[in-house]
Amino acid sequence: NVHAADQQVEWQYAFDVHCNSFFAFFVFAYVLQFLFLPLLMKTSWISLFLGNSLFVLAASAYAYITYLGFHAMPFLQHQEIFLYTIPMAAVAYLISLFGFNVSHHLIDYYF
């Protein structure tokens, strides 16, 4: 259309969407992990399940909130590409249940 204005997403809006999404990630991956740390640092399968579940929930929440933030922009197309990371996180989660404890590795990395 000749009369349509060129529309772009401002970096401030994109940064705001990221901050909103990261807050949910932070709560799941860091705050809840800290609260459940005595349980998550055990070597049982339930600690592996709970720790990895926190991280897949965090990653999924980040992707979904990012999708919602950019879906609010009517001139953008194919925002559903942000949702493609959720099945990838689910596959990585299922693979990790065979012995890769994300919480253990991150705590070892941080400390």
mmCIF file of all heavy atoms in Angstrom, residues 5-21:
data_model
loop_
_atom_site.group_PDB
_atom_site.id
_atom_site.type_symbol
_atom_site.label_atom_id
_atom_site.label_comp_id
_atom_site.label_asym_id
_atom_site.label_seq_id
_atom_site.Cartn_x
_atom_site.Cartn_y
_atom_site.Cartn_z
ATOM 1 N N ALA A 5 2.413 3.373 6.432
ATOM 2 C CA ALA A 5 3.669 3.794 7.055
ATOM 3 C C ALA A 5 4.526 2.560 7.346
ATOM 4 O O ALA A 5 4.016 1.495 7.681
ATOM 5 C CB ALA A 5 3.383 4.548 8.343
ATOM 6 N N ASP A 6 5.826 2.720 7.194
ATOM 7 C CA ASP A 6 6.752 1.636 7.514
ATOM 8 C C ASP A 6 6.788 1.470 9.025
ATOM 9 O O ASP A 6 7.139 2.402 9.748
ATOM 10 C CB ASP A 6 8.145 1.974 6.972
ATOM 11 C CG ASP A 6 9.106 0.826 7.138
ATOM 12 O OD1 ASP A 6 8.650 -0.334 7.121
ATOM 13 O OD2 ASP A 6 10.322 1.084 7.282
ATOM 14 N N GLN A 7 6.409 0.308 9.492
ATOM 15 C CA GLN A 7 6.324 0.078 10.933
ATOM 16 C C GLN A 7 7.403 -0.906 11.360
ATOM 17 O O GLN A 7 7.609 -1.929 10.714
ATOM 18 C CB GLN A 7 4.945 -0.439 11.305
ATOM 19 C CG GLN A 7 3.853 0.555 11.022
ATOM 20 C CD GLN A 7 2.497 0.024 11.397
ATOM 21 O OE1 GLN A 7 2.284 -1.172 11.432
ATOM 22 N NE2 GLN A 7 1.575 0.924 11.678
ATOM 23 N N GLN A 8 8.063 -0.590 12.458
ATOM 24 C CA GLN A 8 9.104 -1.440 13.020
ATOM 25 C C GLN A 8 8.906 -1.531 14.528
ATOM 26 O O GLN A 8 8.309 -0.651 15.142
ATOM 27 C CB GLN A 8 10.492 -0.875 12.735
ATOM 28 C CG GLN A 8 10.855 -0.846 11.276
ATOM 29 C CD GLN A 8 12.255 -0.261 11.087
ATOM 30 O OE1 GLN A 8 12.875 0.217 12.011
ATOM 31 N NE2 GLN A 8 12.719 -0.319 9.858
ATOM 32 N N VAL A 9 9.452 -2.589 15.094
ATOM 33 C CA VAL A 9 9.412 -2.737 16.543
ATOM 34 C C VAL A 9 10.581 -1.937 17.119
ATOM 35 O O VAL A 9 11.720 -2.113 16.711
ATOM 36 C CB VAL A 9 9.529 -4.213 16.946
ATOM 37 C CG1 VAL A 9 9.564 -4.363 18.460
ATOM 38 C CG2 VAL A 9 8.376 -5.007 16.362
ATOM 39 N N GLU A 10 10.285 -1.063 18.045
ATOM 40 C CA GLU A 10 11.348 -0.292 18.686
ATOM 41 C C GLU A 10 12.126 -1.193 19.632
ATOM 42 O O GLU A 10 11.578 -2.121 20.221
ATOM 43 C CB GLU A 10 10.757 0.879 19.466
ATOM 44 C CG GLU A 10 10.083 1.899 18.601
ATOM 45 C CD GLU A 10 9.508 3.047 19.408
ATOM 46 O OE1 GLU A 10 9.636 3.036 20.650
ATOM 47 O OE2 GLU A 10 8.936 3.947 18.797
ATOM 48 N N TRP A 11 13.398 -0.901 19.788
ATOM 49 C CA TRP A 11 14.228 -1.734 20.644
ATOM 50 C C TRP A 11 13.777 -1.665 22.100
ATOM 51 O O TRP A 11 13.937 -2.630 22.841
ATOM 52 C CB TRP A 11 15.710 -1.382 20.498
ATOM 53 C CG TRP A 11 16.105 -0.065 21.109
ATOM 54 C CD1 TRP A 11 16.157 1.147 20.503
ATOM 55 C CD2 TRP A 11 16.494 0.153 22.470
ATOM 56 N NE1 TRP A 11 16.554 2.107 21.392
ATOM 57 C CE2 TRP A 11 16.782 1.525 22.613
ATOM 58 C CE3 TRP A 11 16.634 -0.666 23.587
ATOM 59 C CZ2 TRP A 11 17.175 2.089 23.811
ATOM 60 C CZ3 TRP A 11 17.046 -0.113 24.784
ATOM 61 C CH2 TRP A 11 17.321 1.256 24.888
ATOM 62 N N GLN A 12 13.186 -0.533 22.498
ATOM 63 C CA GLN A 12 12.716 -0.411 23.876
ATOM 64 C C GLN A 12 11.560 -1.389 24.136
ATOM 65 O O GLN A 12 11.473 -1.978 25.214
ATOM 66 C CB GLN A 12 12.244 1.018 24.191
ATOM 67 C CG GLN A 12 13.336 2.047 24.146
ATOM 68 C CD GLN A 12 13.357 2.781 22.813
ATOM 69 O OE1 GLN A 12 12.933 2.262 21.795
ATOM 70 N NE2 GLN A 12 13.875 4.000 22.828
ATOM 71 N N TYR A 13 10.690 -1.537 23.147
ATOM 72 C CA TYR A 13 9.578 -2.473 23.301
ATOM 73 C C TYR A 13 10.098 -3.904 23.354
ATOM 74 O O TYR A 13 9.659 -4.706 24.187
ATOM 75 C CB TYR A 13 8.578 -2.319 22.147
ATOM 76 C CG TYR A 13 7.384 -3.220 22.292
ATOM 77 C CD1 TYR A 13 6.339 -2.877 23.130
ATOM 78 C CD2 TYR A 13 7.314 -4.430 21.618
ATOM 79 C CE1 TYR A 13 5.245 -3.712 23.294
ATOM 80 C CE2 TYR A 13 6.234 -5.276 21.776
ATOM 81 C CZ TYR A 13 5.208 -4.907 22.610
ATOM 82 O OH TYR A 13 4.134 -5.744 22.774
ATOM 83 N N ALA A 14 11.051 -4.228 22.468
ATOM 84 C CA ALA A 14 11.615 -5.571 22.465
ATOM 85 C C ALA A 14 12.330 -5.864 23.783
ATOM 86 O O ALA A 14 12.237 -6.974 24.321
ATOM 87 C CB ALA A 14 12.581 -5.735 21.291
ATOM 88 N N PHE A 15 13.028 -4.869 24.324
ATOM 89 C CA PHE A 15 13.702 -5.053 25.605
ATOM 90 C C PHE A 15 12.693 -5.229 26.733
ATOM 91 O O PHE A 15 12.897 -6.043 27.642
ATOM 92 C CB PHE A 15 14.625 -3.873 25.891
ATOM 93 C CG PHE A 15 15.411 -4.008 27.160
ATOM 94 C CD1 PHE A 15 16.440 -4.937 27.248
ATOM 95 C CD2 PHE A 15 15.112 -3.229 28.258
ATOM 96 C CE1 PHE A 15 17.159 -5.084 28.421
ATOM 97 C CE2 PHE A 15 15.837 -3.360 29.431
ATOM 98 C CZ PHE A 15 16.858 -4.294 29.513
ATOM 99 N N ASP A 16 11.585 -4.507 26.684
ATOM 100 C CA ASP A 16 10.534 -4.649 27.685
ATOM 101 C C ASP A 16 9.914 -6.042 27.631
ATOM 102 O O ASP A 16 9.657 -6.652 28.672
ATOM 103 C CB ASP A 16 9.471 -3.571 27.486
ATOM 104 C CG ASP A 16 8.397 -3.618 28.561
ATOM 105 O OD1 ASP A 16 8.759 -3.553 29.755
ATOM 106 O OD2 ASP A 16 7.217 -3.726 28.198
ATOM 107 N N VAL A 17 9.683 -6.536 26.431
ATOM 108 C CA VAL A 17 9.141 -7.895 26.284
ATOM 109 C C VAL A 17 10.126 -8.905 26.870
ATOM 110 O O VAL A 17 9.737 -9.836 27.588
ATOM 111 C CB VAL A 17 8.835 -8.207 24.800
ATOM 112 C CG1 VAL A 17 8.551 -9.684 24.593
ATOM 113 C CG2 VAL A 17 7.671 -7.369 24.311
ATOM 114 N N HIS A 18 11.406 -8.718 26.586
ATOM 115 C CA HIS A 18 12.428 -9.618 27.133
ATOM 116 C C HIS A 18 12.436 -9.562 28.665
ATOM 117 O O HIS A 18 12.508 -10.601 29.327
ATOM 118 C CB HIS A 18 13.805 -9.261 26.597
ATOM 119 C CG HIS A 18 14.918 -9.800 27.428
ATOM 120 N ND1 HIS A 18 15.248 -11.140 27.464
ATOM 121 C CD2 HIS A 18 15.762 -9.185 28.289
ATOM 122 C CE1 HIS A 18 16.248 -11.322 28.312
ATOM 123 N NE2 HIS A 18 16.581 -10.151 28.823
ATOM 124 N N CYS A 19 12.386 -8.364 29.233
ATOM 125 C CA CYS A 19 12.414 -8.240 30.700
ATOM 126 C C CYS A 19 11.191 -8.888 31.330
ATOM 127 O O CYS A 19 11.307 -9.562 32.363
ATOM 128 C CB CYS A 19 12.505 -6.767 31.101
ATOM 129 S SG CYS A 19 14.103 -6.038 30.765
ATOM 130 N N ASN A 20 10.038 -8.702 30.731
ATOM 131 C CA ASN A 20 8.823 -9.339 31.243
ATOM 132 C C ASN A 20 8.938 -10.863 31.179
ATOM 133 O O ASN A 20 8.541 -11.564 32.106
ATOM 134 C CB ASN A 20 7.600 -8.874 30.465
ATOM 135 C CG ASN A 20 7.291 -7.418 30.703
ATOM 136 O OD1 ASN A 20 7.697 -6.841 31.706
ATOM 137 N ND2 ASN A 20 6.588 -6.810 29.767
ATOM 138 N N SER A 21 9.486 -11.363 30.080
ATOM 139 C CA SER A 21 9.647 -12.806 29.923
ATOM 140 C C SER A 21 10.699 -13.347 30.874
ATOM 141 O O SER A 21 10.539 -14.426 31.449
ATOM 142 C CB SER A 21 10.041 -13.137 28.488
ATOM 143 O OG SER A 21 9.074 -12.671 27.590
#
